[in-house]
Amino acid sequence: KNDYIKHIIDLYNRHAEHEAIVSGKTAHITGKGLVYDKTKVEDPKEQAKLDKFLASANRFQSWSDILPMMVSDLELFNGYALQVIYGAGGKVVSVYHIEFSKVRLSKDGKSAYVCDNWYVSNPAKEPSFKKIDLYNTEQKSGESLLYYKVHRPTAVEFGSIYPIPEYSGACSAIETDINIDVFHLSN
């Protein structure tokens, strides 16, 4: 079923303390966004270049808009994904955040599949997904996916494909707390 990521999101949505911790860490890490020390960059042309770069990760968002989404995914899943779009001459022209829960890696780890809804309720209907090659420095056209995950040792076949959250040891305690809340609510 490959629904571990759905389970992680479910724990986040159903446990108030867990959600508060993840959201709080995200807010503390991202702060007021990405900035630079303008006193260290004296050349106005360099300042203009840096300002332009920080203001436009893509047509719709600045890097300060993308940063909280990346950090939230990193805190929740221990990884994040960015779609890199190349323009003429092999230059990166846009970078978009892809929700980590919408990405699945191939078994060989060289490409990824992106789907808006992996959990289709009708078993006869397959989810529609898009295959994207993972980012590498050699690619200079089209699009690629920068897939970042924190490494964690594993002895399970294909266990290294998906990252394990930092709080994985607490997942059973979070589930127990949710079940206790459900019990008291129904009592």
Side-chain angles (χ1 to χ4, degrees):
K1 280 180 116 179
N2 199 6
D3 61 356
Y4 180 69
I5 289 178
K6 184 179 180 183
H7 175 69
I8 294 297
I9 293 171
D10 188 49
L11 293 179
Y12 174 78
N13 288 332
R14 295 182 64 208
H15 194 260
E17 291 91 348
H18 178 49
E19 187 273 336
I21 290 168
V22 170
S23 298
K25 285 177 74 175
T26 298
H28 278 81
I29 292 169
T30 58
K32 294 182 180 181
L34 293 173
V35 295
Y36 65 96
D37 186 356
K38 292 188 181 203
T39 63
K40 305 240 183 205
V41 181
E42 296 176 10
D43 183 16
K45 288 181 182 179
E46 285 298 315
Q47 281 186 359
K49 275 184 180 178
L50 286 169
D51 289 337
K52 181 180 177 187
F53 171 78
L54 290 175
S56 60
N58 58 57
R59 291 184 348 200
F60 309 105
Q61 299 166 310
S62 71
W63 281 103
S64 290
D65 295 330
I66 290 178
L67 181 65
M69 294 182 277
M70 289 172 56
V71 173
S72 178
D73 282 353
L74 186 61
E75 289 302 315
L76 192 57
F77 304 109
N78 233 3
Y80 61 84
L82 298 173
Q83 180 185 23
V84 179
I85 309 291
Y86 300 93
K91 281 184 65 176
V92 174
V93 293
S94 296
V95 177
Y96 294 90
H97 171 263
I98 302 282
E99 222 176 282
F100 199 77
S101 63
K102 296 180 179 184
V103 178
R104 302 290 184 270
L105 284 183
S106 62
K107 286 183 181 180
D108 65 6
K110 294 182 181 177
S111 59
Y113 302 95
V114 178
C115 179
D116 285 333
N117 183 9
W118 286 103
Y119 312 103
V120 177
S121 57
N122 181 356
K125 185 179 177 190
E126 289 287 320
S128 62
F129 55 84
K130 177 180 180 180
K131 183 177 179 180
I132 304 176
D133 289 333
L134 292 186
Y135 177 83
N136 70 59
T137 55
E138 308 300 314
Q139 184 173 346
K140 299 292 182 192
S141 64
E143 66 180 336
S144 64
L145 190 80
L146 176 63
Y147 183 91
Y148 174 79
K149 66 181 175 107
V150 175
H151 172 73
R152 189 153 178 183
T154 182
V156 179
E157 184 180 17
F158 305 121
S160 63
I161 288 181
Y162 298 113
I164 305 295
E166 284 182 6
Y167 56 85
S168 65
C171 285
S172 60
I174 293 170
E175 287 179 55
T176 301
D177 207 23
I178 290 169
N179 290 332
I180 290 170
D181 287 346
V182 168
F183 173 79
H184 286 301
L185 182 63
S186 63
N187 216 357

